[in-house]
Amino acid sequence: MRPKARLRPRTTVAVLACSLTLLVGACGGSDQPDAAAGKTADGPRVELTIATFNEFGYSDLYREYEAAHPSVKITERRAATVDEHIKNLETNLASGSGMADIEAMEVSWIYKYLAKADKFVDLRQYGADELSSRWLDWKVAGATAPDGKIIGYGTDIGPEAICYRRDLFAKAGLPTDRAEVAKLFPDWASYFSYGRRFKAKVPNSAWYDSAVLTWEAMRNQLIEAYYSNEDRYLGDENELLVRTWNQIVAGSQDGLSAKLPAWSDAWTRAFRSDAFATMACPGWLLGVIQDNAGSFGKGKWDVADVFPGGGGNWGGSYLTVPTQSTQPEEAAKLAAWLTAPEQQIKVFKKVGSFPSTVDAYDAEQVKSQVNEYFNNAPVGKIFINRANNVILKQHKGPRDGEINQVFTDALERVDQGKQSPQAAWKQALREAEKAANTRVGN
């Protein structure tokens, strides 16, 4: 789901052309100095740019904010993909110019910029300390630097549950009611154990879609994965990481994985078959399942209010204000407004992005949401519960992304039968060590 439009150069506060209405009247005359100087009746014109990616669902909110603040004009620069957005962000950050007044950042890579917190406004200057109670604690922690600076306001999150095929569970003699299914998976050991039981009964179907996506779900629950809290690369010193690897590769060897490369055409097509029975699914993935499975999967898929080991999160973003902004106070105000509970509820209704603000969970529009495709599952209540079960923020070191790619590539090779688990692990350790020792910025 990381799934390309080139971002335009950053706009600056400039003199605005008169509107047609003003031109018909007295536009440009000596009695209209404010209009000619880039002002409105309410004061100087403020132009704010916001750089996003994919779909944040903000277009209606921009117009609403402008209506309430007539002196403000908002321009969105939306990249088609996360990678394109990051490329532009990195280029403009390095050059010292060109960044938007507000830059969106995804949860899986904001850690890189916490190490460069001096390049972003400490939002505590504009009331972040007072606002922080809006969000789940772990969401605030994700944008807080070691010295206490808060560089981002939380947008959405991706609390995880377990999605499952009711019909395939029935074939295996497993419960199909979501409340009973939730009792099956208190931890990952039980999840894999039931997978082997399922495989014995339904040999032509796998238990889950992909070793890589299951690894992501499990790894994200570790407080320390590749780095210690002091940014020391851990490698095979981390017994929990080693245990996670061993559980995943044992699952592949026992046929629990459908061996589908995530987001590939084969993975997409598999939803219209009996290829696998379960998957770790954040709220946004329900839409992916529905789109891919179509009429074939309606009534077959369900979602249980459980995630092995407690809570897990996959996805979500933040809004940051770079120090390059010439109007940081106005940008911080807009970022705070866009991420307020009222606006998060509107975005949830429009594009399904699950709120990170606790007050949003009391809103009827959120807590009463039901998904008809998933057997009328009460997904509002389910994902509120799942969000409240996420209590830990994983520490990510300076080369976390590159190192994780090394391990996921290794798991992909094992899953596809291209390399033994032992050889893949040794290769991953060598490559990860090299990546960890590469100076940040190279």
Side-chain angles (χ1 to χ4, degrees), residues 61-107:
L61 296 182
Y62 297 147
R63 307 293 83 81
E64 184 178 340
Y65 191 84
E66 289 171 338
H69 303 80
S71 63
V72 174
K73 172 64 178 176
I74 302 167
T75 300
E76 182 180 47
R77 310 177 195 162
R78 187 170 76 179
T81 66
V82 173
D83 289 345
E84 183 180 337
H85 177 77
I86 294 175
K87 180 180 178 181
N88 281 277
L89 193 158
E90 288 281 359
T91 299
N92 295 332
L93 187 66
S95 69
S97 64
M99 298 183 80
D101 296 292
I102 297 173
E103 292 275 349
M105 289 193 185
E106 211 265 348
V107 64

Side-chain angles (χ1 to χ4, degrees), residues 2 106-108 138-139 156-160 220 282 284 313-317:
R2 300 286 184 269
E106 211 265 348
V107 64
S108 65
W138 56 268
K139 186 66 174 179
D156 59 318
I157 53 176
E160 296 202 76
N220 276 333
W284 54 263
N313 183 76
W314 178 16
S317 298

Side-chain angles (χ1 to χ4, degrees), residues 123 167 175-176 360 374 393:
L123 295 172
D167 57 328
T176 59
F374 286 78
K393 170 188 174 288

Side-chain angles (χ1 to χ4, degrees), residues 140-222:
V140 178
T144 303
D147 62 0
K149 291 179 180 176
I150 299 175
I151 69 165
Y153 287 141
T155 61
D156 59 318
I157 53 176
E160 296 202 76
I162 292 292
C163 289
Y164 67 99
R165 282 277 299 273
R166 293 170 63 98
D167 57 328
L168 296 181
F169 269 44
K171 281 187 179 182
L174 296 177
T176 59
D177 177 77
R178 66 179 69 96
E180 294 302 312
V181 171
K183 298 175 183 178
L184 302 181
F185 311 130
D187 51 32
W188 287 104
S190 59
Y191 178 76
F192 283 100
S193 177
Y194 275 105
R196 290 178 173 88
R197 184 183 303 186
F198 170 86
K199 187 67 179 176
K201 296 284 188 178
V202 191
N204 293 328
S205 297
W207 183 232
Y208 49 80
D209 58 328
S210 160
V212 168
L213 294 186
T214 307
W215 167 264
E216 280 297 300
M218 298 175 72
R219 179 191 62 84
N220 276 333
Q221 289 181 313
L222 304 179

Side-chain angles (χ1 to χ4, degrees), residues 368-402:
S368 67
Q369 190 195 44
V370 170
N371 191 307
E372 180 186 359
Y373 188 88
F374 286 78
N375 281 283
N376 295 311
V379 292
K381 291 180 179 178
I382 288 174
F383 287 106
I384 288 172
N385 289 341
R386 294 298 91 220
N388 286 326
N389 272 272
V390 181
I391 59 174
L392 302 175
K393 170 188 174 288
Q394 182 182 89
H395 177 75
K396 295 180 184 292
R399 289 290 185 183
D400 204 277
E402 294 93 329

